[in-house]
């Protein structure tokens, strides 16, 4: 979704918020730049505090939620055609900051959770499949743009991206709940086996 925003985001901001090309492009640097600055601290947090795959998936879902929220802000804050040109202002700035947080955090959570969930023998094909899926939207968005340009530039793009982000967040939460249930069952089995071993040790003594 990050690449999809880069494909049409600048033009959308110019048309909908009457921003100059330089200002719109500067705003679009925020999401990409956030990934750069958030990756290292998020890596530290993952190594030291978020070891469970279910917790990572929960954080993934929470971070993805920020993305459709940002798109909705952009949709709701568009200016009428006769409005005067504006400087960098809210909601575009707030939306870009939310996109940056969503992109930066979800990017870290996504790949680290994958390593823990997918069995090692399937890790290569799974990584390739997910990498391919990430490029579906950048392939679809230009088609949507070509169809909707006579209507309103970027409007339906953001609608589609908001729906995709909402579905992705919901899927992450469902996966987290399912995985957490599996982890708890595994812990109960391990505890039961430990108790049996302790009892056998006591009997043998």
């Amino acid at each position: 979704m990050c690449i999809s925003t880069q494909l049409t985001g600048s033009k959308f901001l110019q048309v909908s918020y009457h921003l100059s090309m330089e200002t719109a492009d500067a705003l679009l640097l925020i999401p990409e730049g956030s990934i750069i600055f958030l990756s290292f601290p998020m890596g530290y947090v993952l190594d030291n505090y978020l070891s469970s795959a279910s917790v990572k998936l929960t954080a993934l879902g929470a971070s993805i939620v920020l993305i459709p929220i940002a798109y909705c802000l952009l949709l709701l804050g568009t200016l009428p055609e006769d409005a005067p040109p504006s400087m960098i202002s809210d909601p575009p700035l707030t939306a870009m900051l939310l996109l940056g947080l969503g992109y930066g955090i979800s990017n870290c959570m996504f790949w680290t959770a994958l390593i823990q969930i997918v069995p090692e023998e399937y890790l290569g094909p799974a990584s390739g499949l997910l990498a391919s899926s990430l490029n579906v939207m950048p392939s679809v968005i230009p088609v949507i743009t070509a169809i909707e340009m006579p209507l309103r530039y970027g409007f339906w793009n953001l609608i589609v991206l908001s729906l995709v982000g909402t579905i992705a967040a919901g899927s992450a939460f469902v996966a987290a709940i399912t995985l957490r249930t599996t982890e708890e069952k595994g812990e109960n089995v391990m505890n039961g086996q430990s108790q049996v071993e302790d009892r056998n040790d006591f009997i043998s003594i």
Side-chain angles (χ1 to χ4, degrees):
M1 284 187 289
C2 180
I3 297 174
S4 303
T5 304
Q6 298 298 324
L7 289 174
T8 60
S10 179
K11 184 66 175 180
F12 174 81
L13 292 176
Q14 293 174 51
V15 172
S16 300
Y17 288 94
H18 306 171
L19 300 176
S20 67
M21 183 176 65
E22 292 78 10
T23 303
D25 289 348
L27 282 170
L28 286 179
L29 289 174
I30 296 176
E32 294 288 349
S34 297
I35 295 176
I36 297 172
F37 291 107
L38 286 174
S39 294
F40 179 78
M42 284 308 304
Y44 178 82
V45 171
L46 286 168
D47 288 341
N48 293 277
Y49 302 105
L50 301 180
S51 58
S52 170
S54 61
V55 174
K56 290 177 182 177
L57 286 175
T58 303
L60 173 64
S63 62
I64 294 177
V65 166
L66 298 177
I67 298 175
I69 290 176
Y71 289 142
C72 288
L73 282 177
L74 289 176
L75 286 170
L76 295 174
T78 53
L79 300 176
E81 293 183 0
D82 56 351
S86 61
M87 302 295 290
I88 295 180
S89 61
D90 198 81
L93 181 58
T94 300
M96 292 300 111
L97 291 173
L98 288 175
L99 284 177
L101 286 174
Y103 292 156
I105 297 174
S106 63
N107 185 62
C108 295
M109 297 296 172
F110 184 81
W111 294 108
T112 54
L114 173 69
I115 296 173
Q116 288 182 262
I117 296 171
V118 178
E120 186 175 353
E121 61 267 26
Y122 300 116
L123 191 57
S127 299
L129 179 63
L130 290 174
S132 298
S133 67
L134 292 175
N135 289 295
V136 171
M137 290 307 296
S139 302
V140 174
I141 288 299
V143 177
I144 299 175
T145 301
I147 295 173
E148 69 158 336
M149 279 191 69
L151 302 175
R152 184 176 182 183
Y153 193 94
F155 181 81
W156 288 107
N157 280 354
L158 293 182
I159 293 291
V160 171
L161 289 172
S162 297
L163 291 175
V164 171
T166 302
I167 294 171
S171 300
F173 285 130
V174 170
I177 294 171
T178 304
L179 187 59
R180 181 56 187 165
T181 302
T182 304
E183 290 174 346
E184 289 176 350
K185 289 181 179 179
E187 291 173 0
N188 292 334
V189 171
M190 291 294 292
N191 291 334
Q193 290 177 345
S194 177
Q195 291 175 1
V196 171
E197 291 175 358
D198 292 341
R199 185 168 57 232
N200 291 336
D201 291 341
F202 177 77
I203 292 173
S204 63
I205 294 175

Coordinates of all heavy atoms in Angstrom, one line a residue, residues 85-122:
P85 N -5.4 28.2 -2.9 CA -4.2 27.3 -2.7 C -3.9 27.3 -1.2 O -4.0 28.3 -0.5 CB -3.1 27.9 -3.5 CG -3.8 28.7 -4.6 CD -5.1 29.2 -3.9
S86 N -3.4 26.2 -0.7 CA -3.1 26.1 0.8 C -1.7 25.7 0.9 O -1.0 25.1 0.0 CB -4.0 25.0 1.4 OG -3.8 23.8 0.9
M87 N -1.1 25.9 2.1 CA 0.2 25.5 2.5 C 0.1 24.1 3.1 O -1.0 23.5 3.2 CB 0.8 26.5 3.5 CG 0.9 27.9 3.0 SD 2.0 28.1 1.6 CE 3.6 27.8 2.4
I88 N 1.2 23.6 3.6 CA 1.2 22.3 4.3 C 0.3 22.5 5.5 O 0.5 23.3 6.4 CB 2.6 21.9 4.7 CG1 3.4 21.6 3.5 CG2 2.5 20.6 5.6 CD1 4.8 21.1 3.8
S89 N -0.7 21.6 5.6 CA -1.7 21.8 6.7 C -2.3 20.5 7.1 O -2.0 19.5 6.5 CB -2.8 22.8 6.3 OG -3.5 22.3 5.2
D90 N -3.1 20.5 8.1 CA -3.8 19.3 8.5 C -5.1 19.4 7.6 O -5.7 20.4 7.4 CB -4.2 19.5 10.0 CG -4.7 18.2 10.6 OD1 -3.8 17.5 11.0 OD2 -5.9 18.0 10.7
P91 N -5.6 18.2 7.0 CA -5.2 16.8 7.4 C -4.1 16.2 6.6 O -3.7 15.1 7.0 CB -6.6 16.1 7.1 CG -7.2 16.9 6.0 CD -6.8 18.3 6.2
P92 N -3.6 16.7 5.5 CA -2.5 16.0 4.8 C -1.3 15.6 5.7 O -0.8 14.5 5.6 CB -2.1 16.9 3.6 CG -3.3 17.7 3.4 CD -3.9 18.0 4.7
L93 N -0.9 16.6 6.5 CA 0.3 16.3 7.3 C 0.0 15.2 8.3 O 0.8 14.3 8.5 CB 0.7 17.6 8.0 CG 1.9 17.5 8.9 CD1 3.1 17.0 8.1 CD2 2.2 18.9 9.6
T94 N -1.1 15.3 9.0 CA -1.5 14.3 10.0 C -1.6 12.9 9.3 O -1.2 11.9 9.8 CB -2.9 14.6 10.6 OG1 -2.7 15.9 11.3 CG2 -3.3 13.5 11.6
A95 N -2.2 12.9 8.1 CA -2.4 11.6 7.4 C -1.0 11.0 7.0 O -0.8 9.8 7.1 CB -3.2 11.9 6.1
M96 N -0.1 11.9 6.6 CA 1.2 11.3 6.2 C 2.0 10.8 7.4 O 2.7 9.8 7.3 CB 2.0 12.5 5.5 CG 1.5 12.9 4.2 SD 1.5 11.5 2.9 CE -0.3 11.3 2.8
L97 N 1.8 11.5 8.6 CA 2.4 11.0 9.8 C 1.8 9.6 10.2 O 2.6 8.7 10.6 CB 2.3 12.0 10.9 CG 3.0 13.3 10.7 CD1 2.7 14.3 11.8 CD2 4.6 13.1 10.8
L98 N 0.5 9.5 10.1 CA -0.1 8.2 10.4 C 0.3 7.1 9.4 O 0.6 6.0 9.8 CB -1.6 8.4 10.4 CG -2.3 9.2 11.5 CD1 -3.8 9.3 11.3 CD2 -2.0 8.5 12.9
L99 N 0.4 7.5 8.2 CA 0.9 6.5 7.2 C 2.3 6.1 7.5 O 2.7 4.9 7.4 CB 0.8 7.1 5.8 CG -0.5 7.2 5.1 CD1 -0.4 7.9 3.7 CD2 -1.1 5.8 4.9
G100 N 3.1 7.0 7.9 CA 4.5 6.7 8.3 C 4.6 5.7 9.4 O 5.4 4.7 9.4
L101 N 3.8 6.0 10.5 CA 3.8 5.0 11.6 C 3.2 3.7 11.2 O 3.8 2.6 11.6 CB 2.9 5.6 12.7 CG 3.4 6.8 13.5 CD1 2.4 7.3 14.5 CD2 4.7 6.4 14.3
G102 N 2.2 3.7 10.4 CA 1.6 2.4 10.0 C 2.6 1.6 9.1 O 2.8 0.4 9.3
Y103 N 3.2 2.3 8.1 CA 4.1 1.6 7.2 C 5.3 1.1 8.0 O 5.8 -0.1 7.9 CB 4.6 2.5 6.1 CG 3.6 2.9 5.1 CD1 3.7 4.1 4.4 CD2 2.5 2.1 4.9 CE1 2.7 4.5 3.5 CE2 1.5 2.5 4.0 CZ 1.7 3.7 3.2 OH 0.7 4.1 2.3
G104 N 5.9 2.0 8.8 CA 7.2 1.6 9.5 C 7.0 0.5 10.5 O 7.8 -0.5 10.5
I105 N 6.0 0.5 11.3 CA 5.8 -0.6 12.3 C 5.3 -1.9 11.6 O 5.8 -2.9 11.9 CB 4.7 -0.1 13.3 CG1 5.3 1.1 14.1 CG2 4.4 -1.2 14.3 CD1 4.3 1.7 15.1
S106 N 4.4 -1.8 10.7 CA 3.8 -3.0 10.1 C 4.9 -3.7 9.3 O 5.0 -4.9 9.2 CB 2.6 -2.7 9.2 OG 3.0 -1.8 8.1
N107 N 5.8 -2.9 8.6 CA 6.9 -3.5 7.9 C 7.8 -4.4 8.7 O 8.2 -5.5 8.3 CB 7.7 -2.4 7.2 CG 8.8 -3.0 6.3 OD1 8.5 -3.6 5.3 ND2 10.0 -2.7 6.6
C108 N 8.1 -4.0 9.9 CA 8.9 -4.7 10.8 C 8.2 -6.0 11.4 O 8.7 -7.1 11.4 CB 9.4 -3.9 12.0 SG 10.5 -2.5 11.5
M109 N 6.9 -5.8 11.8 CA 6.1 -6.8 12.3 C 5.8 -7.9 11.3 O 5.8 -9.1 11.6 CB 4.8 -6.3 12.9 CG 4.9 -5.3 14.0 SD 5.7 -6.0 15.5 CE 5.9 -4.6 16.5
F110 N 5.6 -7.5 10.1 CA 5.2 -8.5 9.1 C 6.2 -9.5 8.8 O 5.9 -10.7 8.9 CB 4.9 -7.7 7.8 CG 4.4 -8.5 6.6 CD1 3.1 -8.8 6.6 CD2 5.2 -8.9 5.6 CE1 2.6 -9.6 5.5 CE2 4.7 -9.7 4.6 CZ 3.4 -10.0 4.5
W111 N 7.4 -9.1 8.6 CA 8.5 -10.1 8.2 C 9.0 -10.9 9.4 O 9.3 -12.1 9.3 CB 9.6 -9.4 7.5 CG 9.2 -8.8 6.2 CD1 9.0 -7.5 5.9 CD2 8.9 -9.6 5.0 NE1 8.6 -7.4 4.6 CE2 8.5 -8.6 4.0 CE3 8.8 -10.9 4.7 CZ2 8.1 -9.0 2.7 CZ3 8.5 -11.3 3.4 CH2 8.1 -10.3 2.4
T112 N 9.1 -10.3 10.6 CA 9.5 -11.0 11.7 C 8.5 -12.1 12.2 O 8.9 -13.2 12.6 CB 9.9 -10.1 12.9 OG1 8.7 -9.3 13.2 CG2 11.0 -9.2 12.6
A113 N 7.2 -11.8 12.1 CA 6.2 -12.7 12.4 C 6.2 -13.9 11.4 O 5.9 -15.0 11.8 CB 4.8 -12.0 12.5
L114 N 6.4 -13.6 10.2 CA 6.5 -14.6 9.1 C 7.5 -15.7 9.5 O 7.2 -16.9 9.3 CB 6.8 -14.0 7.8 CG 7.0 -15.0 6.6 CD1 5.7 -15.6 6.2 CD2 7.6 -14.2 5.4
I115 N 8.6 -15.3 9.9 CA 9.7 -16.3 10.3 C 9.3 -17.2 11.4 O 9.6 -18.4 11.4 CB 11.0 -15.5 10.7 CG1 11.5 -14.7 9.5 CG2 12.1 -16.5 11.1 CD1 12.7 -13.8 9.8
Q116 N 8.5 -16.7 12.3 CA 8.1 -17.6 13.4 C 6.9 -18.5 13.1 O 6.8 -19.5 13.7 CB 7.7 -16.7 14.6 CG 8.9 -16.0 15.3 CD 8.5 -15.2 16.5 OE1 8.3 -14.0 16.5 NE2 8.3 -15.9 17.6
I117 N 6.1 -18.0 12.2 CA 4.8 -18.8 11.9 C 5.0 -19.9 10.9 O 4.5 -21.0 11.0 CB 3.7 -17.8 11.4 CG1 3.4 -16.8 12.5 CG2 2.5 -18.5 11.0 CD1 2.5 -15.7 12.1
V118 N 5.8 -19.5 9.8 CA 5.9 -20.5 8.7 C 7.0 -21.5 9.0 O 8.1 -21.1 9.4 CB 6.2 -19.7 7.4 CG1 6.4 -20.7 6.2 CG2 5.1 -18.7 7.0
P119 N 6.8 -22.8 8.8 CA 7.8 -23.8 9.0 C 9.1 -23.5 8.1 O 8.9 -22.9 7.0 CB 7.2 -25.1 8.6 CG 5.7 -24.8 8.8 CD 5.5 -23.4 8.4
E120 N 10.2 -23.8 8.6 CA 11.5 -23.5 7.9 C 11.5 -24.0 6.4 O 12.0 -23.3 5.5 CB 12.7 -24.0 8.7 CG 14.0 -23.6 8.1 CD 15.2 -24.0 9.0 OE1 14.9 -24.6 10.1 OE2 16.3 -23.8 8.5
E121 N 11.0 -25.2 6.2 CA 11.0 -25.8 4.9 C 10.2 -25.0 3.9 O 10.3 -25.2 2.6 CB 10.7 -27.2 4.9 CG 9.3 -27.5 5.4 CD 9.2 -27.8 6.9 OE1 10.1 -27.3 7.6 OE2 8.3 -28.5 7.3
Y122 N 9.2 -24.3 4.4 CA 8.3 -23.5 3.5 C 8.6 -22.0 3.5 O 7.9 -21.2 2.9 CB 6.8 -23.7 3.9 CG 6.4 -25.2 3.8 CD1 6.0 -25.8 5.0 CD2 6.4 -25.8 2.6 CE1 5.6 -27.2 4.9 CE2 6.0 -27.2 2.6 CZ 5.6 -27.8 3.7 OH 5.2 -29.1 3.7

